[in-house]
Amino acid sequence: MSTLQTEINIYTDGSCDPSHKTGGWAAILLIEGQKIILTGKETETTHNRMELLAIIRALEYITMQDMTRCSIIIHSDSQYAVSLIDRRKKLIAADFMTKKNSDIRNEDLVKLLFSYIDSLHPVFKKVKAHQRKTESENYNRDADKLARKTVRDHVRGHYSD
């Protein structure tokens, strides 16, 4: 599958339990009528890292499936993740350093995301977070529920003694 006509829609979300520094991420990929769900968990993490990781894992999946010539649209409710695209040139010019001359937060994931953007050229669409249930399928809401469930299950499994 490597035609430009194929459109891949990706809905991502991340969640974090700050008291346990445990996070979960979810990505829902819609490819030619197929719905692919990816989830994962991390420890010693933050909400923003989980938002980025959801996008990165989805783009990794597309790369591993050799769908790199497809049209990719990423739907994210993360202002942080979507704003990185607008700030990209500035971040690169500053060598990923803050004005106070320290590394930007999540530098490792930001650089990885930028490398996927260079090779896959996805389009980012900011969507409203935590939408109410509607008649039609709301994949952003579904990704949010999956990410939160991943965190809950992990915390319950590790901290419920």
Side-chain angles (χ1 to χ4, degrees):
M1 178 191 306
S2 63
T3 62
L4 270 176
Q5 298 88 315
T6 300
E7 182 176 279
I8 301 172
N9 280 279
I10 303 170
Y11 295 82
T12 64
D13 211 344
S15 182
C16 188
D17 178 336
S19 62
H20 295 106
K21 292 186 179 176
T22 298
W25 59 265
I28 299 172
L29 292 79
L30 303 176
I31 307 168
E32 296 183 329
Q34 248 192 321
K35 179 176 166 182
I36 298 157
I37 297 173
L38 308 174
T39 61
K41 61 185 177 288
E42 299 283 323
T43 56
E44 298 301 314
T45 193
T46 65
H47 185 83
N48 283 340
R49 285 188 72 79
M50 294 300 90
E51 294 282 2
L52 293 177
L53 209 49
I55 295 168
I56 289 166
R57 294 296 183 244
L59 295 175
E60 277 178 351
Y61 178 86
I62 288 168
T63 301
M64 289 186 327
Q65 298 301 313
D66 195 27
M67 295 184 277
T68 57
R69 293 182 44 109
C70 296
S71 172
I72 303 165
I73 302 169
I74 299 170
H75 306 265
S76 174
D77 65 9
S78 170
Q79 183 63 41
Y80 170 71
V82 174
S83 72
L84 284 172
I85 310 314
D86 295 332
R87 298 174 24 223
R88 181 175 183 203
K89 286 182 183 175
K90 191 175 180 179
L91 290 169
I92 292 170
D95 199 26
F96 299 93
M97 302 295 280
T98 66
K99 289 180 181 175
K100 294 182 179 179
N101 215 25
S102 59
D103 294 336
I104 64 165
R105 288 190 182 139
N106 307 312
E107 176 185 7
D108 57 333
L109 296 182
V110 171
K111 286 180 174 179
L112 187 54
L113 176 62
F114 288 172
S115 72
Y116 278 112
I117 289 170
D118 287 342
S119 62
L120 299 174
H121 312 289
V123 172
F124 283 78
K125 289 193 176 182
K126 173 79 170 74
V127 296
K128 273 189 168 180
H130 312 287
Q131 293 287 310
R132 291 185 183 170
K133 188 173 184 171
T134 61
E135 294 292 319
S136 62
E137 188 82 35
N138 185 333
Y139 295 109
N140 179 257
R141 188 171 188 270
D142 294 346
D144 173 59
K145 288 164 73 174
L146 284 167
R148 287 188 289 123
K149 182 182 182 327
T150 301
V151 173
R152 270 194 316 274
D153 291 350
H154 182 70
V155 168
R156 222 179 268 135
H158 280 80
Y159 302 101
S160 60
D161 291 330

